[in-house]
Amino acid sequence: MNTRTRVLTGTALAVALGAGTFGAVSASAAQPETFPAVAAKKDGRPNEKNFTTTTHLTVDAATRAAQAALEAAQKENQKVTVAVVDRNGNTIVTLRGDGAGPQSYESAQRKAYTAVSWNAPTSVLAGRLAQAPNLKDIPGTLFLGGGTPVQANGAPVAGIGVAGAPSGDLDEKYAKAGADSLDK
């Protein structure tokens, strides 16, 4: 390629990039669309009948609960993973203890999700499988002992799941220790 061809090609490329950038800047410089206002009272505050207020576990509280559950397991020489999820089943924190098995990470999250979804310990929910075996087919759930809900005013706000101990009863004992630490 000779020098003239390279210069023309470079110039054409620069013009094309410049035009694209100009178009992008021009598109974003347009007047913003106006959207309907949120239903508000005359004083400008939102109409409360259109909104709900929910309680959420803070990251700090979730971390303390997970740490308490992990420490309870460590006192009994158990290698576990602890997961804490919010009311919507989203993971807030997960702590994988030293030596915990690879399967324990996902199992702990699924137990926490199951506990908060039904607002009941997973050991209780596991017993319901006899009457409704299709419950186990719900994505993201795990009906084994080891999950416990965290409640505020009787409503579920989080779930704590523990996995890795030799039994679901032990896992659930540690999850409950995590939930109980929130009352202190």
Side-chain angles (χ1 to χ4, degrees):
M1 203 185 252
N2 66 31
T3 304
R4 182 173 186 245
T5 306
R6 283 187 281 184
V7 170
L8 289 175
T9 303
T11 303
L13 182 60
V15 168
L17 288 172
T21 302
F22 177 74
V25 170
S26 296
S28 64
Q31 289 292 331
E33 291 184 46
T34 55
F35 295 97
V38 173
K41 298 178 188 174
K42 290 183 182 181
D43 64 4
R45 293 183 312 146
N47 188 341
E48 275 93 38
K49 73 178 184 178
N50 295 325
F51 300 93
T52 62
T53 302
T54 59
T55 302
H56 295 273
L57 200 59
T58 66
V59 172
D60 181 55
T63 303
R64 283 186 286 122
Q67 189 64 47
L70 188 60
E71 288 171 2
Q74 288 172 336
K75 284 179 185 173
E76 297 183 7
N77 296 318
Q78 297 301 320
K79 296 168 174 45
V80 301
T81 297
V82 181
V84 181
V85 301
D86 67 12
R87 175 60 185 112
N88 298 319
N90 299 311
T91 303
I92 302 171
V93 65
T94 303
L95 297 178
R96 185 174 176 271
D98 294 336
Q103 80 290 354
S104 65
Y105 191 89
E106 183 179 347
S107 297
Q109 289 179 322
R110 290 174 60 192
K111 288 177 183 184
Y113 175 82
T114 305
V116 75
S117 295
W118 277 274
N119 193 23
T122 53
S123 60
V124 171
L125 297 170
R128 294 182 188 171
L129 287 179
Q131 294 83 27
N134 291 345
L135 279 177
K136 70 182 179 329
D137 298 332
I138 297 172
T141 59
L142 186 58
F143 293 88
L144 297 173
T148 191
V150 176
Q151 298 179 349
N153 299 322
V157 296
I160 300 175
V162 176
S167 74
D169 292 342
L170 285 174
D171 285 339
E172 201 159 300
K173 173 183 170 182
Y174 308 140
K176 184 155 177 17
D180 291 346
S181 75
L182 296 171
D183 292 335
K184 297 176 182 174

